[in-house]
Amino acid sequence: DTGVSQNPRHKITKRGQNVTFRCDPISEHNRLYWYRQTLGQGPEFLTYFQNEAQLEKSRLLSDRFSAERPKGSFSTLEIQRTEQGDSAMYLCASSLGLAEYNEQFFGPGTRLTVL
Amino acid sequence: AQSVTQLGSHVSVSEGALVLLRCNYSSSVPPYLFWYVQYPNQGLQLLLKYTTGATLVKGINGFEAEFKKSETSFHLTKPSAHMSDAAEYFCAVTLWGNNRLAFGKGNQVVVIP
């Protein structure tokens, strides 16, 4: 069990550019979650997948944000036309099973800085 | 919608002293409650969780928390702080049928030698 991995760990981009982050969950975990964490705040839920199906995306911050999980394995989070307000830590988590109280295992995050 | 409140962003505690981090939740239905710890440059790690049953929950690293429905609280304690307990601690809540965790703002714990 190698844990949840995220790449890149850091991303610096200019306003208006598109960025994509990757998350590799723990093998065989069927659920995958994306959160955003800004300075001084706790993580904020964005979206989640059960296998390849995106079951909730209403919390994605705008239509500039999109996520995919092809084949139910790794996931990508894309932000188009980045804005300075998008600067944050983007966290990925995965869990096994269907219960709401199952432990979510978190990756180390991708820190995005938009100049 | 569910939410949690953690007061006092920074908490200083002397080595060997009691660690007490407060968490109050808001929910119209019975909640599932969690405490996570975040060390620098690492992912959040689950300390303990409450689902149903026994209201006193024991977790890793000597931490425990008690679910008090009448007070809508889930405070985290550890009898004796170690230097290794210096980290940020988050309380979180979710509900039956709701698959997203709602986190508090966190407590940054500093342990003073």
Side-chain angles (χ1 to χ4, degrees), chain A residues 31 33 48 56 59 100-101, chain B residues 36 49 90 97 99-100 104:
Chain A
R31 287 195 168 173
Y33 309 80
Y48 92 98
E56 183 168 355
R59 297 302 180 104
E100 297 84 356
Y101 48 77
Chain B
Y36 277 85
K49 66 180 179 182
F90 293 95
N99 292 283
R100 57 179 181 266

Side-chain angles (χ1 to χ4, degrees), chain B residues 11-88:
Chain B
V11 176
S12 293
V13 58
S14 297
E15 189 175 15
L18 172 71
V19 179
L20 170 60
L21 302 180
R22 299 178 186 275
C23 173
N24 288 88
Y25 68 91
S26 172
S27 170
S28 57
V29 298
Y32 303 125
L33 294 158
F34 307 78
W35 276 98
Y36 277 85
V37 61
Q38 187 174 34
Y39 298 101
N41 298 315
Q42 295 185 28
L44 283 84
Q45 180 183 7
L46 181 67
L47 279 177
L48 48 80
K49 66 180 179 182
Y50 169 79
T51 55
T52 59
T55 57
L56 182 62
V57 180
K58 296 186 183 299
I60 62 172
N61 301 338
F63 285 93
E64 63 182 36
E66 187 171 10
F67 171 64
K68 292 186 176 181
K69 183 179 179 180
S70 61
E71 299 178 7
T72 61
S73 69
F74 191 56
H75 302 332
L76 182 71
T77 60
K78 181 174 180 177
S80 176
H82 295 169
M83 297 300 295
S84 60
D85 294 328
E88 190 154 23

Side-chain angles (χ1 to χ4, degrees), chain A residues 34-36 43-48 54-67 77 90, chain B residues 1-3 93 95 98-103:
Chain A
W34 285 99
Y35 293 82
R36 184 180 81 156
E44 174 189 17
F45 173 85
L46 296 178
T47 186
Y48 92 98
Q54 189 174 14
L55 296 188
E56 183 168 355
K57 55 182 179 180
S58 62
R59 297 302 180 104
L60 285 170
L61 300 164
S62 77
D63 58 7
R64 297 184 297 106
F65 288 71
S66 63
L77 178 69
Y90 290 85
Chain B
Q2 73 273 24
S3 65
V93 63
L95 307 175
N98 184 329
N99 292 283
R100 57 179 181 266
L101 288 173
F103 285 86

Side-chain angles (χ1 to χ4, degrees), chain A residues 10-15 19 21 82-84 86-90 110-115:
Chain A
H10 302 273
K11 178 70 176 180
I12 300 174
T13 191
K14 294 182 178 179
R15 188 177 55 185
V19 294
F21 310 140
T82 52
E83 302 173 356
Q84 289 185 326
D86 297 332
S87 295
M89 179 76 85
Y90 290 85
T110 295
R111 181 169 296 283
L112 172 66
T113 302
V114 182
L115 302 176

Side-chain angles (χ1 to χ4, degrees), chain A residues 1-7 9 22-27 29 31-34 75 90-95 103-109, chain B residues 42-44:
Chain A
D1 185 348
T2 58
V4 178
S5 61
Q6 294 187 245
N7 288 287
R9 294 292 305 275
R22 176 178 171 125
C23 171
D24 287 274
I26 294 172
S27 178
H29 276 196
R31 287 195 168 173
L32 187 148
Y33 309 80
W34 285 99
S75 176
Y90 290 85
L91 303 174
C92 175
S94 68
S95 67
E103 180 178 355
Q104 294 185 24
F105 293 82
F106 283 80
Chain B
Q42 295 185 28
L44 283 84

